[in-house]
């Protein structure tokens, strides 16, 4: 009996300890891009390689490549084709030369990508980039290339550590499509400086991200969504309860030699006509190309 009581007392102690343990999902201490991914990351140009002669925009037009392939068997976003059209119209309206593709082979040559001042992934999905394409994209970025990831770019090539580092995060899930008011975190950056206090984006998927880009000490958060304004709730379809008072929406960093600008906004048809979104994306593209100052506070 004495041994039984001792065991019961021990079990009670263990249960007490378990109930007082902090939640496992507590935010970790911040880490650097190098610590997490093994590649140089920064919010200044200390990780930038100016190995390519970028377009100045004077003697020839800026060149942008828009990639929107979705892996076979995966349903593309409804607005994918319309989004590529809208972005092409927006950029050509600025005098830029735009190439679009849904063919993975078009991403598989480092020499083929070299002429572009920016590569934009718009609502790509799953294994949209082949092994050869990932190598070519990495060569492009390492030489000082500019990368822009929009919306479901975060649902792309989950098994590539290098690509996750380029994005700074990946999609875990999202709550109901709904309106949300955004908070400008870096008011001097060209991609968010135009957004007035109280700006709202409607019918949008605000992503629950894992890992959280705010855990990276060398990523600059540009835009967040105020979760108190999301009236339909935060819980995602895989059970993520949301990311606190805010979810990060857009951020930027220098990564492995290049510039990367990211936004989770871009789900609906309506957002394609939203002038705030269009200027948001144009500012991101202009900054990774070097036409505008990149990744400002």
């Amino acid at each position: 009996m004495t041994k039984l009581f001792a065991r019961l007392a021990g079990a009670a102690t263990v249960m007490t300890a378990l109930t007082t343990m902090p939640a496992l999902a507590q935010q970790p201490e911040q880490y650097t891009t190098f610590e997490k991914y093994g590649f140089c990351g920064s919010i200044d140009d200390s990780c930038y390689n100016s190995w390519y002669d970028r377009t100045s925009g004077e003697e020839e037009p800026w060149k942008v490549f828009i990639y929107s392939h979705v892996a076979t068997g995966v349903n593309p976003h409804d607005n994918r084709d319309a989004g590529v059209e809208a972005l092409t119209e927006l950029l050509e309206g600025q005098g830029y030369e735009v190439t679009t593709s849904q063919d993975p082979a078009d991403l598989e040559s480092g020499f083929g990508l070299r002429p572009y001042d920016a590569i934009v992934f718009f609502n790509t999905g799953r294994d949209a980039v082949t092994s050869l394409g990932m190598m070519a994209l990495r060569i492009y970025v390492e030489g000082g290339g500019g990368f822009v990831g929009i919306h479901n770019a975060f649902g792309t090539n989950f098994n590539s550590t290098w690509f996750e580092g380029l994005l700074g995060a990946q999609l875990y899930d999202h709550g109901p499509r709904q309106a949300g008011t955004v908070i400008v975190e870096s008011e001097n950056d060209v991609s968010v400086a135009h957004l007035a206090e109280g700006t709202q984006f409607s019918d949008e998927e605000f992503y629950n991200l894992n890992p959280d880009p705010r855990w990276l000490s060398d990523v600059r958060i540009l835009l967040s969504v105020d979760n108190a304004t999301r009236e339909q709730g935060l819980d995602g379809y895989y059970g993520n309860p949301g990311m606190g008072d805010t979810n990060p929406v857009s951020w930027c960093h220098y990564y492995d030699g290049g510039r990367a600008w990211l936004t989770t906004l871009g789900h609906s048809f309506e957002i394609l006509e939203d002038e705030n979104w269009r200027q948001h994306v144009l500012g991101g593209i202009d900054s990774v190309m070097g036409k505008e100052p990149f990744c400002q506070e």
Side-chain angles (χ1 to χ4, degrees):
M1 290 295 291
T2 302
K3 290 181 179 179
L4 175 60
F5 285 132
R7 287 176 184 171
L8 289 173
T13 302
V14 170
M15 290 302 296
T16 300
L18 287 173
T19 57
T20 57
M21 285 176 67
L24 294 177
Q26 293 294 316
Q27 179 173 327
E29 293 293 326
Q30 280 193 312
Y31 40 69
T32 67
T33 295
F34 187 80
E35 289 169 336
K36 174 70 173 174
Y37 298 108
F39 302 102
C40 188
S42 63
I43 54 176
D44 59 28
D45 63 5
S46 58
C47 287
Y48 184 66
N49 295 327
S50 56
W51 296 346
Y52 292 170
D53 292 328
R54 315 312 305 171
T55 302
S56 72
E58 296 172 0
E59 75 285 358
E60 57 180 325
W62 300 89
K63 298 177 181 63
V64 181
F65 180 80
I66 302 175
Y67 184 65
S68 58
H69 177 65
V70 172
T72 303
V74 178
N75 292 326
H77 271 61
D78 290 343
N79 77 342
R80 179 187 60 166
D81 294 346
V84 171
E85 228 177 272
L87 288 172
T88 301
E89 178 188 6
L90 174 67
L91 297 173
E92 288 183 343
Q94 300 294 313
Y96 304 165
E97 184 178 300
V98 180
T99 302
T100 68
S101 178
Q102 295 179 11
D103 185 350
D106 290 337
L107 204 69
E108 292 180 343
S109 167
F111 288 107
L113 297 182
R114 182 169 180 165
Y116 294 108
D117 301 295
I119 293 176
V120 179
F121 275 33
F122 178 77
N123 281 347
T124 48
R126 302 296 177 86
D127 291 333
V129 184
T130 65
S131 177
L132 188 57
M134 194 64 73
M135 182 183 73
L137 180 63
R138 182 170 171 181
I139 290 169
Y140 169 79
V141 169
E142 286 177 339
F147 178 84
V148 168
I150 301 174
H151 197 54
N152 208 53
F154 294 96
T156 301
N157 284 78
F158 286 94
N159 293 322
S160 170
T161 299
W162 179 85
F163 188 66
E164 181 185 295
L166 177 67
L167 297 173
Q170 284 187 313
L171 166 66
Y172 184 80
D173 63 12
H174 59 78
R177 298 168 192 164
Q178 59 188 299
T181 300
V182 292
I183 301 168
V184 173
E185 307 282 7
S186 302
E187 60 186 18
N188 293 317
D189 189 82
V190 66
S191 68
V192 295
H194 64 288
L195 297 173
E197 185 176 352
T199 295
Q200 187 176 82
F201 290 99
S202 60
D203 195 30
E204 192 54 34
E205 292 175 344
F206 294 103
Y207 282 174
N208 295 322
L209 301 156
N210 189 52
D212 188 329
R214 296 173 296 194
W215 296 344
L216 287 162
S217 61
D218 40 28
V219 161
R220 190 184 304 286
I221 304 298
L222 303 174
L223 197 66
S224 303
V225 60
D226 181 355
N227 285 337
T229 67
R230 296 170 61 194
E231 296 180 355
Q232 296 182 51
L234 313 181
D235 289 358
Y237 50 82
Y238 285 143
N240 190 308
M243 304 176 71
D245 293 338
T246 62
N247 276 27
V249 167
S250 180
W251 55 93
C252 56
H253 61 152
Y254 292 89
Y255 178 75
D256 195 24
R259 302 184 183 109
W261 180 92
L262 301 311
T263 184
T264 66
L265 297 172
H267 170 75
S268 68
F269 282 97
E270 291 76 13
I271 203 167
L272 303 177
E273 300 176 0
D274 188 322
E275 194 58 31
N276 280 324
W277 180 82
R278 291 163 69 89
Q279 291 303 310
H280 174 54
V281 172
L282 179 61
I285 293 172
D286 282 352
S287 65
V288 300
M289 293 195 304
K291 182 181 178 183
E292 296 286 349
F294 177 67
C295 209
Q296 301 298 291
E297 284 189 82

